[in-house]
Amino acid sequence: MKKLSILLASVFLLGLVFQACNNGKTYAEMKEEEREAIKRFIEKEDINVISLSQFQEQDSTTNVDENQFVLFSDNGVYMQIIEEGNGEKLEDGRYEVLARYIEKRIVEGGAVDTLSGNLFSPFPDEMQLTKSGKNFSATFTLGQMTVYSGAVPSGWLIPFNYIKVGREISGRSKIRLIVPHSQGQVEASASVYPCYYEITYQLAR
């Protein structure tokens, strides 16, 4: 785990150096561009951002009809729960989770550029998920997201504290996320760009 952390940190730092040399922008400038892109995306999609306290007052739900996304201010991730799922809240332990998703890069002006996805693939992405208390860690074992690395983006793990992941296809958990680079996949972290995701989660049979 320590070696993996060092490797990811090295990739991140090399990406920053490359970007700095490539376009002359500082890391602070790229982060500001990211914040502006997210802001414009929220405006374009008419997203109603709610606080964590309001989210908790609503029994940890988001009103989809009002297009509510809760902002986790400590990490900058925005989340909308479309379907909580028909399973149970996960207990401490290890799980095999299947994920269907679409990934879009949020670019200047709030537009999006589709990067990857498996909605039309016969096979979902697979991950090994470990829960300990409120902490989750996971590794991709198969699928499209392994193109980036085996590491599951931190932003992908946040919903597991609020959804009920089951085994039935008809009752899969479904969420939407806006994920800043610091909580994203390796390439996004290195190049400092945010992504929008629509994801369904299901326990493997």
Side-chain angles (χ1 to χ4, degrees), residues 13 29 57 72 81 83 90 103 110 115 125 156 159 161-162 175 177 180 184 190 192 194 198:
L13 292 173
E29 289 172 333
E57 289 170 2
F72 297 94
I81 300 175
E83 298 289 347
L90 298 181
E103 175 188 52
L115 297 179
D125 278 31
W156 277 46
N161 277 314
Y162 306 100
I175 53 93
L177 297 171
V192 191
E198 293 187 10

Side-chain angles (χ1 to χ4, degrees), residues 38-166:
I38 291 174
K39 178 182 176 182
R40 296 305 177 196
F41 177 77
I42 288 171
E43 291 173 351
K44 287 185 66 173
E45 298 299 319
D46 197 25
I47 290 171
N48 177 16
V49 178
I50 63 173
S51 66
L52 181 58
S53 60
Q54 181 177 343
F55 176 66
Q56 292 169 335
E57 289 170 2
Q58 296 176 180
D59 197 25
S60 296
T61 61
T62 51
N63 188 320
V64 179
D65 291 337
E66 295 181 3
N67 204 19
Q68 289 183 343
F69 278 65
V70 57
L71 168 61
F72 297 94
S73 56
D74 59 335
N75 54 41
V77 172
Y78 298 77
M79 177 185 72
Q80 181 182 72
I81 300 175
I82 303 171
E83 298 289 347
E84 185 182 39
N86 65 356
E88 302 292 336
K89 291 286 183 67
L90 298 181
E91 303 289 340
D92 285 6
R94 298 187 66 185
Y95 302 87
E96 184 177 353
V97 178
L98 308 179
R100 292 278 183 184
Y101 78 97
I102 187 166
E103 175 188 52
K104 299 181 180 182
R105 176 175 176 168
I106 302 173
V107 298
E108 184 178 0
V112 292
D113 180 21
T114 300
L115 297 179
S116 68
N118 62 9
L119 297 183
F120 303 106
S121 168
F123 305 106
D125 278 31
E126 298 179 8
M127 67 174 79
Q128 288 292 329
L129 177 75
T130 300
K131 180 179 188 288
S132 178
K134 291 188 176 182
N135 298 315
F136 290 88
S137 61
T139 302
F140 288 114
T141 56
L142 187 67
Q144 299 288 335
M145 287 295 287
T146 59
V147 171
Y148 298 118
S149 76
V152 175
S154 299
W156 277 46
L157 303 179
I158 292 172
F160 286 104
N161 277 314
Y162 306 100
I163 58 179
K164 297 178 179 179
V165 186

